[in-house]
Amino acid sequence: MSPAPDMTDPQVADLVVRTLATKSRDASVPAEPFDPTRRTSFSDVDAGGPELMATEPDATPSRARGHRRVRWIVPLAAAAVALVVVAAGVAVAGRDDRDTTRTERHPVAEQPTDTPDGALLPGWMPEGLVPWGGSWSRPPMWSPESPLQLFKGDGDAVLMIELKPDNFVSSGGDPVTVRGVEGGVVPPPGDIPDAPGMLHWREGDTGGSIDVTYANMSVDEVVAFLDGLTWRGPDRQDGFVPPTSGDLRLAGDVGPPTSAALTTDYLFGDPASPPRTQHEGRYIWFQAQSARGRQDAMSYFMSLLRDGELPAADGDPDMQIDPDTAVVSWPDGRTVMIRSRGVSQADLRRVVDSFAPATGQDLDRLAAAKGARLAALPLVAQASLPSATVELRDGGGLDRAACVHLPGREPACGWLGFMPDVEGEDLGVEDASVLIDGTWYALAVGTVPVSLTSEDPLNPTTLPLANETATDGPYSFALALPADEMQHVALYRDGSLSYYLSRPESDYPGG
Amino acid sequence: MAAETSRAPTAFDAVYERQLDRTVRLAYLLVRSQAVAEELAQEAFLRLYEHFDAVYNPPAFLRTTVVRLAITWQRRHRMEQHRLTVVGGDRHTGAEPELDEAWAALGRLTAERRNVLVLRYYADLAYESIGELLGCSAATARSRARRALADLREELER
């Protein structure tokens, strides 16, 4: 049937809507995880300069970064590039990560201060919902935590300096001479009002690149301003002495952040209506992130470029709640995302309002309740290995647990679980990564052969990793006790790398 | 006590997980080629990956990047685009025949007019946002959309 020739504009528009919606489903979406080493034929294309920030105000809130499949999947092909970039990042993380003191070396403006530290947990849950699964973690640091200096002119001119640490070097752009050395500059695109440009250079024998993001200034004005700056001292990470004359004045100044973000990722379910998959039962799932120093400062400073003003650091959170979803983001960088099923909107709002930094005791209680539930799931397979008895427990659907069971102890279990709005792929593999008396037990169990190796793109090692293996019916078990210096192990499924397990968190930095 | 591990999520992973689908599909509607759409999406995510800390709004960044890359591709490869449209862009899906006809008619529009329809009626963007993406005013974007609908009606009547 052909479309009628006398269609009105709304009818044609409706046809377009239906056509595009239908045809968009013809596109197949790659199943592979993101590979940062796979370059494309478009790498030389200037896409108009949105590289630094979005320009559209109508999209998803910036902090609503959503959530992800539980498993951290890093393709082998990604390792080569990841090593170069991330190994340095880990060195930085290793220096600062465990300190919970948030220091701002040169507080000038109203940038976030006194941010509540600590993993965020709800203080209230609707009746009947109990801890089902989940954990807290420190996300790995993939980028440097650099000091920042923000300068603002009387008009719209804005300039932000990022002092990258050693080993982080920027490149690219048109050649530009700044402070007597050659750097690179990517001017803002001409067709986007207030879009930022970027300039970078290296100075002296030590230190990484100095990156500048600017808006509403010409390259000549930027270079002139930078040429006039003097260092505060021999440590370049201390930044520049703020100029006392000229148009641009210091508007914000933060040293390296000394606290790491903490993520909580938990499911609370109703035993009377168990959530065996995301499509059944009654539950509340949430992922929350505590504030993170430099990244939050940068986002906060970037708001000056985007909006022309800095929001109040202690302002109200941006909150969106619909019948089963809530997304909350605070100006200081804290975020909470919730998905629920079978929970009233009023209760959901009450949960949202109850989020607060957790104590170590809070997390211990949560882990104990969750652990007891997993250890009570029906046992479907087990094997005795030299270091421990290993088990597979199955509550139906995706409610499965792999457990390490030491004599005289309760089983310590990992949970497969699900993400509410992600159709998780059931790999036929379960794992547990647990600390028992300071020893890391990494366990894989699957309906295909499984093994664990010491591969770790973040902390390369040549140390071997012995596997204790066994089978029980259709299930294969592999257990390893990684050395203290190992932070990740690779889980192989049927000969192919599936994902990595991380050393369990043990030293909660909160109160 | 025994502590269960987290499997180390990253913020970028979360964005990739959530935005890949819509990024590829938007690219596909703009360029009408699966292979090119995947390339455009990969490039957009590469750029996001490289500047992730500086990007305030990842979904908008991805959309902006993929639209502009698609426009660049359309300009550079008009001939290739034509061939792709003929070879692979008019796949019939077995859905309503009028949708297949409309899809083919959309493919006969100029890229400029097709783009504005995709951004308005698939991405559901306001004309202000479309104007920003296409480098024109909101009024121009609205005008282009009106002309695009008129052109499409003519194509459908052929």
Side-chain angles (χ1 to χ4, degrees), chain A residues 7 39 180 202 252 283 304 329 333 338 369 377 423 446 486 498 500:
Chain A
M7 294 171 76
R39 298 292 150 178
R202 293 185 76 192
Y283 63 79
L304 180 61
S329 53
I338 303 177
L377 292 176
E423 291 295 338
M486 293 183 185
S498 278
Y500 294 90

Side-chain angles (χ1 to χ4, degrees), chain B residues 78-111:
Chain B
R78 286 209 167 115
M79 290 306 294
E80 285 82 347
Q81 180 190 4
H82 174 69
R83 285 197 291 271
L84 283 166
T85 300
V86 171
V87 173
D90 290 333
R91 186 154 47 121
H92 287 228
T93 59
E96 299 170 66
E98 67 171 353
L99 301 188
D100 286 328
E101 292 189 28
W103 177 245
L106 280 165
R108 294 192 292 271
L109 298 183
T110 65

Side-chain angles (χ1 to χ4, degrees), chain A residues 232-252:
Chain A
R232 278 186 166 123
D235 185 352
R236 301 288 162 83
Q237 294 278 292
D238 278 341
F240 293 102
V241 176
T244 55
S245 61
D247 291 337
L248 290 174
R249 300 304 174 91
L250 191 66

Side-chain angles (χ1 to χ4, degrees), chain A residues 131-155:
Chain A
W132 209 257
S135 60
W136 69 273
S137 65
R138 295 177 179 84
M141 298 171 75
W142 295 83
S143 58
E145 301 278 299
S146 311
L148 299 170
Q149 289 187 291
L150 181 70
F151 298 89
K152 187 179 185 316
D154 292 334

Side-chain angles (χ1 to χ4, degrees), chain A residues 5 7 9 23-24 27-28 39-40 45 47 50 52 56 62 72 142-143 294 306 370 431 433 435 502, chain B residues 2 4-5 7 9-10 25 34 39 42-43 47 50 53-54 56 61 63-64 68 93 98 100 153 157:
Chain A
M7 294 171 76
D9 266 4
K23 293 297 180 180
S24 74
S28 61
R39 298 292 150 178
T40 77
V45 175
L52 295 175
E56 298 159 272
S62 64
W72 172 46
W142 295 83
S143 58
R294 201 254 341 169
R306 190 199 57 194
K370 177 202 68 178
D431 65 73
S433 179
L435 270 184
S502 301
Chain B
E4 183 188 342
T5 184
R7 299 173 181 100
T10 69
R25 294 187 198 287
Q34 174 71 34
E39 282 279 282
Q42 169 71 6
E43 181 63 29
R47 295 183 185 202
E50 290 164 0
D53 278 353
Y56 186 80
F61 174 92
R63 189 173 58 206
T64 300
R68 293 184 178 207
T93 59
E98 67 171 353
D100 286 328
R153 186 188 297 104
E157 289 172 0

